[in-house]
Amino acid sequence: YVREEMQTRENDRKGHIPAILQDEIAQLALVDLTPTAVRGFRDRLAEKYSGATVVKRLNLLAAICQHAIAEWDVPFAKNPAAATAVKRPAGADKKRNRRLVGDEYERLLEVMAQSPWPDDVAFVRFAIEQGTRREEALTLRWRDIDFDRHSLSFAKTKTMHRAIERGPEIRPLTPGAARLLRTLLQAQRKSSQPGDLVFDIGSKDAFSVRVGRMTKKAGLRDLTFHDLRHEATSRLARIYTNPLELRRVTGHNDIKSLDRYYQPHAEDLAAKAIAYENRNSADKE
């Protein structure tokens, strides 16, 4: 399953897969891999890990079992790790809704500008303008950008295994991201080559450490880099009001995944309702 489905999911390969393999459940014959056995696995995890981690590993095991049924003809009558068979910890799958408020974006850019890596600011701005995942932006090369067709080509995405069948994933390039990339290209024109990475921010782990340090310095509480994808999705939803179109821009796998990242401010939704009501009143007059 790792070889076929998880080539781009490094965190899962290094953390969640070994946790499954090191548990006694991995020693069971398939005939003994029952919901009862999975519940035991769940309970052992719950003694050591948070509810969110338990859910993540149960869902991963369920995905492996489902893949085995569909692709390897493993004769499970039903998926023994499915949520319908094994209850997940209550409240563990809580939707994260951290958004930037007030002047937090400006404060974040201000402290990121103090980084020894000059592309850190551009990387953060691109995350807001385009809504890409960190890995996607980190591996983006100049040859992947088509300014004439206003598009980006991603060979490495969360669902990279599909690229073997369908080719690279093509997404619309947003106007804000296009302006940012043109400015960056102009600054690098003498040295950049089509195969060069767009952003030079060092390793992803070192970048994550810098972001954590910088957000703390800026006084931004409980903010992660991945939260910027929530922010970007919610901002882009103002432009792409059709969720199917929005999904094409952000690269979410489905509408359910998109919904987890669309976090509109309550006052923005209220303002839309007020504006709609005012327009109707004006029309009637």
Side-chain angles (χ1 to χ4, degrees):
Y1 184 80
V2 169
R3 184 176 64 253
E4 295 182 12
E5 297 292 310
M6 302 183 68
Q7 291 305 302
T8 63
R9 295 165 61 181
E10 183 177 355
N11 290 338
D12 289 346
R13 294 200 312 270
K14 290 183 176 181
H16 298 307
I17 287 293
I20 296 174
L21 294 177
Q22 291 165 9
D23 187 85
E24 62 188 67
I25 197 172
Q27 305 304 316
L28 295 178
L30 288 179
V31 68
D32 296 322
L33 186 57
T34 63
T36 299
V38 176
R39 291 187 198 104
F41 173 59
R42 175 198 62 194
D43 296 342
R44 288 189 295 276
L45 288 176
E47 294 176 358
K48 301 178 182 179
Y49 302 102
S50 68
T53 298
V54 174
V55 169
K56 179 77 174 180
R57 291 176 181 174
L58 286 174
N59 288 347
L60 178 55
L61 180 59
I64 294 171
C65 291
Q66 192 58 44
H67 186 78
I69 294 170
E71 297 295 327
W72 305 331
D73 299 322
V74 173
F76 288 127
K78 294 181 179 179
N79 188 328
T84 54
V86 178
K87 186 177 179 181
R88 273 41 173 173
D93 195 24
K94 185 178 180 181
K95 184 189 297 185
R96 188 170 174 83
N97 59 2
R98 181 65 162 95
R99 290 279 311 274
L100 295 172
V101 295
D103 65 347
E104 286 188 333
Y105 184 37
E106 290 72 20
R107 287 157 56 193
L108 177 60
L109 293 180
E110 184 179 350
V111 296
M112 292 302 291
Q114 301 171 23
S115 167
W117 293 83
D119 285 352
D120 275 2
V121 171
F123 196 75
V124 169
R125 290 179 58 200
F126 183 75
I128 291 290
E129 296 290 350
Q130 187 66 41
T132 54
R133 301 176 180 91
R134 182 188 61 174
E135 288 289 305
E136 294 167 347
L138 194 64
T139 57
L140 188 68
R141 300 180 184 275
W142 289 112
R143 66 184 174 216
D144 301 325
I145 305 167
D146 191 331
F147 288 109
D148 294 330
R149 295 188 176 186
H150 308 285
S151 65
L152 297 172
S153 174
F154 292 99
K156 186 174 183 179
T157 69
K158 192 173 182 179
T159 54
M160 182 182 174
H161 60 281
R162 297 178 183 174
I164 299 174
E165 303 172 356
R166 307 176 186 176
E169 183 176 325
I170 307 299
R171 297 183 199 162
L173 174 63
T174 67
R179 288 191 294 270
L180 171 66
L181 292 173
R182 287 183 185 277
T183 300
L184 199 60
L185 181 60
Q186 187 66 35
Q188 300 178 359
R189 188 174 296 279
K190 292 182 180 180
S191 59
S192 61
Q193 299 296 322
D196 290 346
L197 293 170
V198 173
F199 301 103
D200 183 10
I201 62 169
S203 71
K204 65 178 182 181
D205 292 334
F207 176 75
S208 295
V209 170
R210 289 199 303 276
V211 169
R213 186 171 63 247
M214 293 296 185
T215 53
K216 184 177 181 180
K217 185 176 182 179
L220 307 180
R221 298 180 59 186
D222 189 35
L223 180 72
T224 67
F225 182 78
H226 195 66
D227 288 329
L228 300 185
R229 183 156 159 82
H230 291 259
E231 180 68 27
T233 301
S234 301
R235 292 188 181 196
L236 289 168
R238 301 172 185 171
I239 304 172
Y240 303 97
T241 56
N242 183 323
L244 294 178
E245 293 178 350
L246 177 60
R247 188 172 72 86
R248 295 297 183 186
V249 177
T250 61
H252 286 97
N253 295 335
D254 48 45
I255 298 299
K256 182 178 180 180
S257 298
L258 178 64
D259 180 60
R260 296 184 64 85
Y261 285 81
Y262 175 47
Q263 301 290 341
H265 291 303
E267 56 268 32
D268 291 340
L269 295 181
K272 289 180 69 173
I274 293 171
Y276 176 80
E277 189 173 81
N278 290 341
R279 285 196 302 270
N280 281 351
S281 297
D283 291 342
K284 290 178 182 179
E285 293 177 0

